[in-house]
Amino acid sequence: MKPINVGLLGIGTVGGGTWTVLTRNQEEITRRAGRPIQISVVADRNLERARQMTGGAVKLTDDAFSVVDDPSVDIVVELIGGYTVAKDLVLRAIANGKHVVTANKALLANHGNEIFAAAQAKGVMVAFEAAVAGGIPIIKALREGLTANRIQWIAGIINGTTNFILSEMRDKGLAFADVLKEAQRLGYAEADPTFDIEGVDAAHKATLMSAIAFGIPIQFDRCHIEGISKLDAADIRYAEQLGYRIKLLGITKRSERGVELRVHPTLIPAKRLIANVEGAMNAVLVWGDAVGATLYYGKGAGDEPTASAVIADLVDVTRLHTADPNHRVPHLAFQPDQLTDEQVIPMDAVRTAYYLRLRAQDKPGVLADITRILADMNISIDALLQREPEEGEEQTDIVVLTHVALERDVNTAIARIEALDSIAGKVTRIRMEELKG
Ligand code: HSE
């Protein structure tokens, strides 16, 4: 199978992540795309960094224009950022008939109308999943998954730097300036954090979502933008006392008056799921008339999370060449002849943690019997709770939380516990998942 050749412009954080993930998951990505996707040339101003990142396994150049002019390159991935040179490169790649994948929200928010028109005229794709909310597939959700809906509004935490700062201000009661310094020290905030803290980065992303949600041209110049640099820690405290959290939201909404598009600090009820999105995480809440509210959550930045979105776009573009035109996205995501016959494992081979509740007589030795059975079955206890019996009550509830164990062992342990004279009725078993990482 002839590989699809990718010209990578910029091998910094996201470019490096793209190289790593493409290399690591090469086999599965090929099975999904229908053809191998290979980075055939990398352009970067820092050739030494490019050499270290790629191990010298690919052609390197410091002339990005030579890549967009290279006839052997099928797709250009633009990860340079900014909107001067990047704009020239993207337009030239399109003029040369190449598809483009970009993570550049500033470029698209400012010049997207021109770029998409050029791509349309030339019959090429400009894919930009990585430009909004990093690894969260929000563009795909809006453009494809929610396509039946009349979308009414979108509200998103779409800048991790500011969400980290707001979380720290609330948790530690610190002032904005102090947290910003700490965020810079930890690498969460850039040395020049203006675009993040003043809401410009969030506005780029909100503008792109607004266009997709409502079928309107990109109108960044109409976006109202307020950042968090003037936010007082006292307001975060008062909001909290009233049952609210303050988040920097990118909001776009249909109204009778037209489409709203704005970025500003916003009080939201503390009980809302999105109010509990903390640290550098991103989340986007979309309300569609058919589906109601849907929430998309994940990492909005970083090397591999953003690479995840870049590579999804690369696969989409590659499928233009490989898929049945009526079924560009294979029904089961993988190409039909690439499905493996790997079996779903039986339930008793599953490993998870458990909540077990049993009704036991309140007498010496009962707990010892239970813990012995669990120990014999190699089940480790995480926590244990015994409710104090009511006056005159002979039985009580015992709740055991276990560490991760094998379901088959837990089935045996439950059967043995239920067979004890001191245990009444059935053991209640609820499985537990940490859902971490
Ligand atoms: N600087 C952005 C953020 C990530 O803090 O979320 C890239 O868009």
Side-chain angles (χ1 to χ4, degrees):
M1 258 180 299
K2 185 175 167 299
I4 286 281
N5 286 326
V6 173
L8 180 62
L9 311 182
I11 192 157
T13 304
V14 178
T18 302
W19 174 272
T20 306
V21 177
L22 258 184
T23 308
R24 188 174 69 227
N25 296 343
Q26 175 89 79
E27 194 247 343
E28 274 200 44
I29 291 168
T30 304
R31 285 172 51 218
R32 289 189 166 114
R35 271 169 73 176
I37 297 173
Q38 69 172 24
I39 295 175
S40 57
V41 54
V42 175
D44 200 288
R45 274 191 304 205
N46 186 341
L47 285 176
E48 189 43 43
R49 172 174 79 171
R51 201 165 288 120
Q52 277 174 13
M53 195 73 84
T54 59
V58 66
K59 194 168 133 196
L60 303 176
T61 175
D62 58 4
D63 177 9
F65 285 93
S66 72
V67 174
V68 299
D69 287 339
D70 183 339
S72 71
V73 167
D74 302 301
I75 308 174
V76 169
V77 174
E78 184 278 304
L79 301 174
I80 290 176
Y83 38 77
T84 49
V85 180
K87 182 185 174 198
D88 294 341
L89 286 164
V90 165
L91 286 174
R92 190 137 131 198
I94 292 168
N96 287 335
K98 298 186 195 307
H99 302 290
V100 173
V101 172
T102 179
N104 193 335
K105 51 248 154 197
L107 173 64
L108 294 179
N110 284 284
H111 302 290
N113 296 323
E114 179 186 351
I115 288 170
F116 293 132
Q120 183 79 18
K122 201 71 192 175
V124 295
M125 271 177 87
V126 173
F128 55 100
E129 184 64 75
V132 181
I136 304 174
I138 188 64
I139 301 296
K140 184 144 283 198
L142 289 170
R143 270 202 316 214
E144 297 180 32
L146 298 175
T147 200
N149 289 265
R150 185 171 161 84
I151 293 173
Q152 297 294 352
W153 54 262
I154 300 176
I157 295 171
I158 43 182
N159 182 271
T161 306
T162 43
N163 202 50
F164 173 82
I165 293 172
L166 292 177
S167 300
E168 289 287 292
M169 286 174 75
R170 185 176 70 83
D171 273 2
K172 301 184 177 158
L174 293 172
F176 168 80
D178 295 334
V179 180
L180 175 60
K181 267 190 224 127
E182 180 65 359
Q184 283 172 316
R185 197 184 63 76
L186 292 171
Y188 283 113
E190 309 272 349
D192 178 0
T194 314
F195 263 32
D196 289 323
I197 63 174
E198 298 303 350
V200 179
D201 176 75
H204 289 149
K205 297 167 183 169
T207 301
L208 294 174
M209 289 197 290
S210 177
I212 293 169
F214 304 130
I216 57 175
I218 296 165
Q219 299 166 57
F220 176 63
D221 54 347
R222 300 225 167 159
C223 184
H224 172 86
I225 310 174
E226 275 174 52
I228 63 165
S229 59
K230 296 187 180 62
L231 200 63
D232 197 314
D235 293 316
I236 294 179
R237 276 201 308 280
Y238 292 137
E240 181 124 58
Q241 284 167 17
L242 293 162
Y244 290 86
R245 300 260 165 93
I246 298 182
K247 295 290 184 189
L248 182 73
L249 291 188
I251 297 174
T252 187
K253 221 181 237 192
R254 260 185 225 276
S255 77
E256 283 158 13
R257 300 165 303 283
V259 169
E260 297 179 9
L261 177 56
R262 47 197 167 93
V263 170
H264 49 67
T266 314
L267 264 76
I268 41 182
K271 65 182 179 202
R272 293 272 174 278
L273 268 180
I274 196 168
N276 294 283
V277 172
E278 300 287 15
M281 301 304 283
N282 280 200
V284 183
L285 189 53
V286 183
W287 204 93
D289 66 340
V291 73
T294 54
L295 179 64
Y296 308 82
Y297 169 83
K299 289 186 180 156
D303 53 358
E304 293 203 8
T306 312
S308 165
V310 168
I311 295 168
D313 280 345
L314 284 173
V315 171
D316 267 0
V317 176
T318 302
R319 282 174 176 158
L320 291 175
H321 301 270
T322 60
D324 171 346
N326 295 319
H327 299 286
R328 190 174 57 79
V329 180
H331 293 109
L332 294 177
F334 292 78
Q335 300 294 330
D337 60 352
Q338 290 294 326
L339 298 181
T340 66
D341 61 358
E342 196 176 339
Q343 301 289 305
V344 174
I345 59 171
M347 189 61 195
D348 69 358
V350 162
R351 291 177 60 80
T352 183
Y354 297 80
Y355 164 103
L356 305 174
R357 178 169 56 78
L358 19 129
R359 188 113 187 106
Q361 281 177 17
D362 188 20
K363 65 176 193 184
V366 174
L367 258 187
D369 287 341
I370 295 164
T371 53
R372 182 182 40 73
I373 291 171
L374 293 174
D376 286 348
M377 294 314 301
N378 209 22
I379 298 165
S380 171
I381 295 173
D382 181 32
L384 203 144
L385 180 103
Q386 180 174 334
R387 184 175 60 76
E388 195 158 341
E390 305 286 336
E391 187 70 31
E393 199 185 21
E394 287 181 1
Q395 294 177 340
T396 188
D397 282 336
I398 295 174
V399 174
V400 180
L401 302 187
T402 77
H403 288 295
V404 171
L406 186 67
E407 173 100 3
R408 190 181 301 124
D409 292 338
V410 174
N411 290 342
T412 308
I414 287 175
R416 289 193 191 162
I417 290 169
E418 286 175 348
L420 292 172
D421 288 342
S422 51
I423 298 296
K426 293 278 183 200
V427 172
T428 299
R429 171 228 322 249
I430 303 175
R431 296 175 188 86
M432 296 200 303
E433 295 287 351
E434 284 291 325
L435 302 181
K436 268 199 291 204

